[in-house]
Amino acid sequence: MAGDLKAVAYSYWQQGFTVVPIVFVKENGGVKKQPLVEWKKWESQNQTIEEFEALPWDRAEGFAVLCGKPNKEGLSLGVIDFDVKKTTAEAQALGRKALKHLRVTAIEQTPTKGEHHVFYSRRVVQSCSSYHDVAALELLGQGKLCVMAPSKGYTKLNDNLPTVVDDLNAEFRAVLRKAGVLKSEKAERKPKTELNVRPCFKKLLEKPTLSHDERVALVNELQFQGYSLEQVKEIFHENRAWETNYSPEKTDYQIASVYGKYGWFTKKELQARGICFEDCPLHVFEDCRFPSVPEEFDKPLTVDDVIQILGSTVKHDDYNKAITFLAMLLTYTEEDQINLGFLAESSAGKSYIPLELSQYFPKEDVIKLGYASPTAFFHEFGEIVTDPVTKRKIIHVDLKRKILIFLDQPHDQLLQRLRSLLSHDEKDIMFKITDKREKAGLRTKTVIIHGFPTVIFCTAKFGLQEQEKTRLLLLSPEVSQEKLRESIALKIERESDREAFLQKMLEDPQRRLLAARVWSLKKAGIKHVKIPEEFRKLIYDKFLEEHKFLVARHQRDITRLLAIIKGHALLNFIHRRREGDSIIVGLEDVEEGFRLYRAVSEANELGLSPELFNIYQSMKPHFAQKKEVDVDIGKSTKTVTLEGITIREFQGLYASKFHKAIGYEESRRILKTLASVGLVTETPDPTDRRMTRYTLLQPEVSQSEKAPSQIYSSQVGGNPPSGSFEVGEARGKAGGIPLAGREYICEVCGGKATIRVYRNGVEHWFCGKCASQWEGPL
């Protein structure tokens, strides 16, 4: 028992919390929790490893954690204690009603069948026992010890870790309010992260305590942002006035004495008080109270300009960073967002590009996740609300105008759950998930995801499922020698003096220009980017010219091309014609969109990452090679032709080409992926049938050949094109038309097409076998 206690207690100590061993002593017919050591000193100083080891664990029957004291990561442990021992049945019923509104977190059961709901709070947790008699609930914070499992009689009710919240004090009041224990507040308030204040004040609000000057500045900032005196008072009371010794009466008096007495603080005044911070997005403006883009920031920006600016921290990768930046700009539209997938080997820098580019965007618009299970994602970013129709509790996740960056995801399970969201099927999408109940069994929860985010998915896994590949624009970082040399030089400069490097980046006028452009775009309120009629036909003709053979996935590829075109228009929205909440695309946007899309289209339309496609292009001559060898057959020899290469031969060629070794299994995965998209085929080695050789499946289809002439029409359901092919007699169950004179590709197996068929006015190409097996009316 002592060993288990000490091991669990040590896990809390490692996180920076103070632990205290205890024993249970019978007293006055009950049981009292008695600390074995004096612990008050640790309220003001950290517990050392020597002090932890010296604790009397051999006599301990349990241990407690000191609540309310921030650990090394700035998190303080707080516990909502549901007490069933000294409370009435009415109070317990009210308490259980309030607990239903709590976030999912770690729950432990006490010896009296009460419950401890354990959280980590970024704001210091204040103890509160005012509602113990009314709702059987108490908040354990500063100055309190909480006994933890596996202490004697204490058990875990679930396997969850404590949930991290911004302010457990506010969470506690919120659940009491929803249960009817607290009355609704007089003034309608927003969470502190949503208050309409300048960025420096949003950062200020995250501090646990504020100085007198900071509180005065905040009062006047709220006043000039349109908050009434009563609303300002309520905001301060909600946050205990950011004071250690909080007094409601004193707070009301101080706010009334300064409200309206000072002017609206300028940037210089905020700098003098230490409130202004250097990487503030409004830092580029002379007067941050009235931010507007200065004349020098109004100049048009080309893709090459953006590439040059982003090159300060992202070397080479010109098309990758340009496409990623334009995709991020689409975040601020109503429904033109697209999804990016960075697929590359480990250490290639797949997450580096989106992370660096996210620094140009407001922090509140970017969500970065190192890992998230599907259920955890819904719980972490969802808010429990009441469905107005069914009156049931649902989880509402608002992803409108957000950039989601998934870093180094080990699998694509979350993407599979979000397929409808990635496809933009509906703006409000319903999901059904199951969670374990507190006691036993499962319960169903409803999740509503609102809005379309920009999703950037980074993974070292090449083998994404086809449904995920078609929903992502696949990118891969360069690994050229030139890029690696410049990246190493940049890393040396950055890590030799991080502070000087950061200051250099903050003072870079070009980076400030780009950040100001992003900020201006967000404030511009542009919901739609429209493409005029004359450019629609141009895009249609150019796309068909470059794609002779259309397949189903081109319906999604054209969306990505249009998105890049629209992203370029947003980059220069100041110089585009404005119609209400829309801007109009120009010819320059179309040309730049095609230029960027061409750089990644060939690999994407094959369902490959550019990195894998580059490997294929490098190895293509070897896949096509043929050589004759003599094979011993008994007492004679036979000459056989060997085509392509084996996995071991691939390893050697890869090492020679890319100057690094590659494992057998990784080589096998790459070759299997190339085979899965029809670029190579697997055949037994005639000299040793236990081995597999990989050869070119067939000559590549040239998409640069002239496309069949078709007339662009904005009407739906037009007649099939005619006069474009040499037509023979009809044959086959499909009633198709055999083709002659030219070679076309079967859209099912990739072989030579011999029959052309139509379904609902849409043209399809098949070989004889696939046409006979194709079901449905034609």
Side-chain angles (χ1 to χ4, degrees), residues 335-620:
E335 50 186 324
D336 286 322
Q337 297 82 356
I338 60 172
N339 315 302
L340 304 180
F342 275 88
L343 276 63
E345 62 180 340
S346 178
S347 303
K350 53 188 173 293
S351 57
Y352 179 80
I353 295 176
L355 286 178
E356 283 296 315
L357 269 55
S358 69
Q359 296 181 14
Y360 294 89
F361 291 77
K363 291 183 178 179
E364 63 268 20
D365 297 339
V366 181
I367 300 174
K368 306 169 188 176
L369 289 174
Y371 170 80
S373 67
T375 304
F377 176 80
F378 294 138
H379 281 304
E380 178 67 20
F381 299 101
E383 178 184 0
I384 298 178
V385 298
T386 302
D387 189 299
V389 178
T390 64
K391 306 302 181 183
R392 295 183 61 185
K393 298 297 180 182
I394 61 174
I395 301 175
H396 185 267
V397 184
D398 189 359
L399 296 179
K400 184 179 180 181
R401 293 192 164 200
K402 298 294 183 184
I403 300 172
L404 294 181
I405 304 178
F406 296 100
L407 308 173
D408 293 315
Q409 295 291 295
H411 53 70
D412 56 359
Q413 288 183 9
L414 182 55
L415 284 188
Q416 294 176 27
R417 297 282 187 95
L418 299 179
R419 281 173 180 169
S420 298
L421 176 69
L422 299 179
S423 298
H424 290 199
D425 292 340
E426 295 286 344
K427 190 170 292 185
D428 290 286
I429 301 176
M430 178 186 296
F431 295 84
K432 293 289 186 177
I433 62 173
T434 55
D435 270 344
K436 287 185 178 179
R437 292 182 181 272
E438 295 175 359
K439 294 184 179 179
L442 299 173
R443 60 180 173 187
T444 303
K445 291 185 177 180
T446 301
V447 180
I448 301 293
I449 293 186
H450 172 71
F452 302 126
T454 295
V455 177
I456 303 177
F457 186 81
C458 307
T459 182
K461 181 181 178 183
F462 290 126
L464 292 179
Q465 293 191 22
E466 184 67 21
Q467 293 193 62
E468 275 59 66
K469 288 180 181 178
T470 58
R471 287 171 169 83
L472 300 174
L473 179 60
L474 303 179
L475 304 174
S476 296
E478 292 181 24
V479 287
S480 65
Q481 291 297 306
E482 294 79 5
K483 178 203 170 177
L484 295 177
R485 281 193 288 267
E486 292 189 30
S487 297
I488 290 173
L490 175 67
K491 202 167 185 66
I492 292 173
E493 180 184 3
R494 184 199 294 263
E495 297 186 7
S496 296
D497 191 339
R498 296 181 186 274
E499 186 175 347
F501 182 84
L502 175 61
Q503 188 64 27
K504 176 184 176 182
M505 294 298 105
L506 293 175
E507 294 175 354
D508 187 332
Q510 294 300 311
R511 289 174 63 92
R512 293 169 59 185
L513 182 153
L514 200 55
R517 182 65 57 91
V518 172
W519 184 89
S520 301
L521 172 62
K522 179 180 179 180
K523 296 296 182 183
I526 297 172
K527 292 184 177 180
H528 308 285
V529 183
K530 296 181 179 180
I531 300 177
E533 179 65 29
E534 61 268 25
F535 295 146
R536 297 177 200 174
K537 185 178 187 307
L538 172 63
I539 295 169
Y540 178 83
D541 290 341
K542 287 176 70 70
F543 190 81
L544 288 190
E545 181 182 346
E546 297 180 6
H547 299 82
K548 178 179 178 182
F549 305 103
L550 296 176
V551 294
R553 68 160 291 144
H554 284 148
Q555 297 173 96
R556 283 182 171 156
D557 292 330
I558 188 64
T559 297
R560 299 188 184 100
L561 169 61
L562 296 176
I564 296 173
I565 292 172
K566 293 178 179 181
H568 189 272
L570 289 173
L571 176 66
N572 292 292
F573 74 97
I574 303 171
H575 304 279
R576 297 295 178 264
R577 181 160 56 93
R578 184 80 181 255
E579 293 182 356
D581 57 3
S582 305
I583 61 171
I584 309 302
V585 163
L587 178 60
E588 178 189 353
D589 304 320
V590 176
E591 293 173 345
E592 289 296 323
F594 269 97
R595 178 164 77 96
L596 291 174
Y597 181 71
R598 286 191 195 104
V600 297
S601 63
E602 192 169 5
N604 273 268
E605 289 167 9
L606 286 168
L608 293 175
S609 67
E611 180 182 35
L612 270 186
F613 187 69
N614 180 48
I615 293 174
Y616 166 73
Q617 293 283 51
S618 301
M619 298 292 179
K620 186 177 175 181

Side-chain angles (χ1 to χ4, degrees), residues 10 62 92 95 189 200 250 253 268 307 359 383 394 415 451 467 478 508 525 581 583 631 657 700 739 752 756 766:
Y10 182 71
Q92 293 173 24
R189 297 192 307 277
C200 54
K250 177 184 174 183
Y253 173 78
K268 289 185 178 180
I307 290 172
Q359 296 181 14
E383 178 184 0
I394 61 174
L415 284 188
Q467 293 193 62
E478 292 181 24
D508 187 332
D581 57 3
I583 61 171
V631 181
K657 173 67 178 177
E700 286 187 279
L739 305 176
K752 181 179 179 181
R756 176 184 55 164
F766 298 103

